[in-house]
Amino acid sequence: MNPHTILSQTERQRVSDGAVVPILSGCESSPRQLVLLLPQLGDFDSLEYAWWLQRDAKRLQAQGIAIRGVGIGDRKSGERFCSYTGFPAECLFVDPTAQLHQKLNLYPGLSLKLPGLSPGVNAWLNLMLMCAGIGSPGTLAEVFRGYRGDRQAPQLIGDEEIIQAPPLPPLKGSFFGLAGGKGFQRPFELATLRLRNMGEVLTNWKTYVPNPAYLTQRGATFLFNAQGDLLYEHRDSAILGFAADKRNPLSFLSQ
């Protein structure tokens, strides 16, 4: 069964009003449908992906692209996620036990099980191993890219923008220019955005992660036309692997 058929037959709770409705309802007439299967809503990938979507929101709207997201968590997780990232609550659905991720055969992440440990504790252990690159190819390289910068990637923080990423003091975007200029991803720029996300999640951990058993579950991206034909897909295979083009995660929309 192709992904569009599965998604069109799936109902989940919508964050905006709590109603359980079909995921693709309301976007049938759109020329393109972008469906994101997000991991845990407190995951680095979910927050970073939402940041890129918010950054390009006007372009996506101009192109008539309807967005639907399904994240692991409950409605409170979704409300906090939307409040922090700006992701539209009417376009976000929640799947508390990752059933849709499993139905689409998405990568569950490392799944070592130590006897005597609860599913949540085992998930934590596996997550830490994945952060170290075990069962998560490319994660460490992407972490390092966030620190060293990338001249082939766009600038992420405007020169006049103020970034709050405790425990760092408030940083003005022009500060990153001291590391080498502007017009590209400067050293520590992406790492600072990730630090801000980490602070948000750790401060609101129980809201974002009501059930830690699914911490390692990865997501996917699907792009369909109005007829339901699959135009593009990317299945995550690692932490920080939510995009094939990590320098510009939404570049596939221009192909």
Side-chain angles (χ1 to χ4, degrees):
M1 191 177 295
N2 67 55
H4 190 272
T5 301
I6 293 173
L7 292 166
S8 64
Q9 296 175 355
T10 299
E11 295 183 347
R12 288 295 182 271
Q13 185 180 39
R14 186 165 55 203
V15 171
S16 59
D17 57 5
V20 177
V21 295
I23 291 170
L24 299 184
S25 61
C27 62
E28 296 86 353
S29 61
S30 300
R32 289 192 289 175
Q33 303 165 4
L34 177 60
V35 183
L36 315 175
L37 270 292
L38 301 170
Q40 199 90 45
L41 287 173
D43 192 284
F44 277 126
D45 296 45
S46 301
L47 297 169
E48 199 164 313
Y49 208 161
W51 183 89
W52 281 98
L53 290 167
Q54 186 68 7
R55 174 188 172 103
D56 273 2
K58 291 182 179 179
R59 180 169 69 94
L60 297 176
Q61 185 176 15
Q63 293 180 359
I65 298 174
I67 300 174
R68 293 294 182 269
V70 183
I72 303 172
D74 57 22
R75 191 182 175 200
K76 287 186 177 180
S77 310
E79 289 174 337
R80 182 74 199 189
F81 178 85
C82 292
S83 175
Y84 176 68
T85 65
F87 195 97
E90 65 273 15
C91 299
L92 181 64
F93 297 77
V94 288
D95 189 338
T97 57
Q99 290 182 355
L100 182 56
H101 298 66
Q102 295 160 18
K103 193 169 186 179
L104 288 165
N105 295 316
L106 304 186
Y107 179 45
L110 198 63
S111 55
L112 300 177
K113 294 181 180 179
L114 296 182
L117 298 183
S118 68
V121 173
N122 269 312
W124 259 111
L125 174 63
N126 284 304
L127 180 67
M128 293 301 101
L129 292 172
M130 289 180 70
C131 287
I134 300 172
S136 187
T139 294
L140 288 179
E142 179 58 15
V143 170
F144 294 145
R145 190 178 73 89
Y147 286 102
R148 72 171 182 269
D150 187 341
R151 287 187 171 272
Q152 304 305 313
Q155 181 173 324
L156 304 180
I157 302 172
D159 289 343
E160 300 303 316
E161 187 178 352
I162 303 295
I163 296 295
Q164 305 276 355
L168 297 177
L171 297 174
K172 193 173 182 180
S174 57
F175 167 82
F176 296 95
L178 299 176
K182 60 181 180 178
F184 61 93
Q185 182 190 308
R186 285 79 59 85
F188 296 100
E189 193 175 16
L190 180 54
T192 300
L193 292 177
R194 288 170 175 168
L195 178 63
R196 181 177 65 177
N197 289 342
M198 184 172 67
E200 162 69 12
V201 172
L202 292 180
T203 303
N204 303 280
W205 179 256
K206 290 187 177 180
T207 301
Y208 277 110
V209 186
N211 184 349
Y214 307 98
L215 283 172
T216 61
Q217 176 67 56
R218 298 297 90 200
T221 298
F222 300 101
L223 181 66
F224 305 101
N225 63 16
Q227 291 73 44
D229 299 319
L230 182 64
L231 304 178
Y232 174 86
E233 75 171 342
H234 172 75
R235 293 171 179 262
D236 310 352
S237 61
I239 293 174
L240 298 179
F242 64 90
D245 182 357
K246 295 177 175 57
R247 290 168 168 163
N248 189 353
L250 299 179
S251 62
F252 66 90
L253 294 174
S254 302
Q255 295 174 359

